[in-house]
Amino acid sequence: MFRAYLALTKPQIVELLLVTTVPALMLAAGGWPDLRTLAVVLIGGALAGGAASALNCYIDRDIDELMRRTKRRPLPAHSVTPRAVLIFGLTLAVISVALMAAFTNWLATALTAGAIFYYDVVYTLWLKRRTPANTFWGGVCGAAPVIIGWAAVTGSVAPLGWALFAVVFFWQMPHFYALAIKYKDDYARAGVPMLPVVRSTGRVNFEIVLYTVLTVVASLAAWPLGLGPIYGCTAIVTGALFLAEALLLVQRTRKGGATKPMRLFHWSITYLTILFIAVAVDALV
């Protein structure tokens, strides 16, 4: 039962969210933030991410049963009841927002509540099943932890915080499009209009390269706003490798062989992790 409830929170996604939040905290604080703020944002952020994911599982339980990738989740596997999942998700959401309200500030609290609402109501309930632009608009809540962490320290969001937000926002398109290519048949079976399901291969390739370029451009634009040479060199090298991997996917697709989209998917995670480690290092030196 514990494993079922843990799975509902999608811990891999929560972990990735925290990878971007902590460096943003450090940068906003000019080093290590005070331990209370760090602990509250880590715990509150993890609970908020878990709440959003659990509520997403509740809303998508019908299509999760149709997809091979998701049919082993707790609800399709009947490990827990829908009512229990709804109560669990709402409870986590209330606790996370209450923590942020009690120990940070109104802006960080509002952004936390807004991110949960946006992911579950705007993205999952409204956009996901209606438009192939779902990934683009859904990117807002995926990038929100960066500005939540920044706001928790300063009570506002500086231009550098918005630049890092843009990095994570644009990054999500090549990241999730690669996953959608891999599970194209799953999404088609469930009636979810992910871009690879409803658009041509050429269109998908174009958007993957476009948003990879925009990710790299945003990462370089952040450099002169307050980051040092460690970050800058890292952004150049990892950005070049990220773009090269995207172009290789396009090349393999055009040749008609095995596309291997998960190579780009996994490398995108490595790219974002290394880039934000460089943010943290720059905040300390």
Side-chain angles (χ1 to χ4, degrees):
M1 186 61 69
F2 173 79
R3 287 195 298 269
Y5 278 100
L6 181 63
L8 288 167
T9 66
K10 301 180 184 177
Q12 298 93 337
I13 294 178
V14 172
E15 179 183 354
L16 192 59
L17 294 176
L18 296 180
V19 163
T20 60
T21 306
V22 174
L25 270 170
M26 296 171 64
L27 196 58
W32 283 110
D34 68 88
L35 292 179
R36 190 186 75 168
T37 301
L38 179 62
V40 168
V41 173
L42 283 176
I43 296 170
L47 291 174
S53 294
L55 293 171
N56 169 268
C57 288
Y58 171 79
I59 296 165
D60 277 350
R61 62 191 184 279
D62 57 332
I63 61 174
D64 281 350
E65 291 183 345
L66 304 174
M67 299 173 63
R68 286 193 299 271
R69 184 174 67 89
T70 57
K71 67 181 181 181
R72 293 185 180 86
R73 286 178 177 173
L75 277 170
H78 305 290
S79 302
V80 290
T81 65
R83 182 175 182 273
V85 174
L86 178 60
I87 293 172
F88 176 64
L90 291 175
T91 301
L92 291 184
V94 169
I95 294 172
S96 66
V97 173
L99 274 175
M100 298 297 286
F103 297 105
T104 61
N105 53 66
W106 72 266
L107 180 58
T109 303
L111 288 171
T112 300
I116 297 170
F117 177 85
Y118 190 100
Y119 182 70
D120 289 313
V121 177
V122 178
Y123 170 71
T124 305
L125 271 176
W126 180 32
L127 297 173
K128 184 174 180 178
R129 307 190 196 195
R130 287 175 171 81
T131 172
N134 51 20
T135 304
F136 178 85
W137 295 110
V140 172
C141 46
V146 174
I147 55 175
I148 291 172
W150 198 289
V153 173
T154 66
S156 62
V157 182
L160 179 53
W162 287 112
L164 294 176
F165 171 91
V167 172
V168 183
F169 175 79
F170 290 128
W171 166 88
Q172 289 175 92
M173 267 58 77
H175 175 71
F176 283 110
Y177 287 161
L179 187 69
I181 292 171
K182 170 70 174 178
Y183 295 104
K184 177 181 176 179
D185 292 341
D186 259 5
Y187 285 115
R189 188 180 305 110
V192 180
M194 298 298 287
L195 193 71
V197 175
V198 299
R199 296 290 185 266
S200 67
T201 301
R203 171 67 180 273
V204 176
N205 287 343
F206 171 76
E207 293 208 15
I208 285 174
V209 174
L210 171 65
Y211 287 113
T212 303
V213 169
L214 289 174
T215 302
V216 176
V217 169
S219 72
L220 295 176
W223 186 2
L225 294 177
L227 289 161
I230 294 174
Y231 170 84
C233 293
T234 303
I236 291 170
V237 174
T238 57
L241 292 172
F242 188 22
L243 181 57
E245 192 60 52
L247 292 171
L248 284 172
L249 172 61
V250 171
Q251 184 181 49
R252 290 193 298 269
T253 303
R254 288 176 175 172
K255 288 182 177 179
T259 56
K260 302 177 183 177
M262 296 306 285
R263 280 188 50 170
L264 177 61
F265 177 82
H266 291 302
W267 171 248
S268 68
I269 296 173
T270 303
Y271 163 79
L272 196 70
T273 302
I274 294 173
L275 187 71
F276 273 82
I277 288 174
V279 171
V281 172
D282 252 349
L284 294 174
V285 298

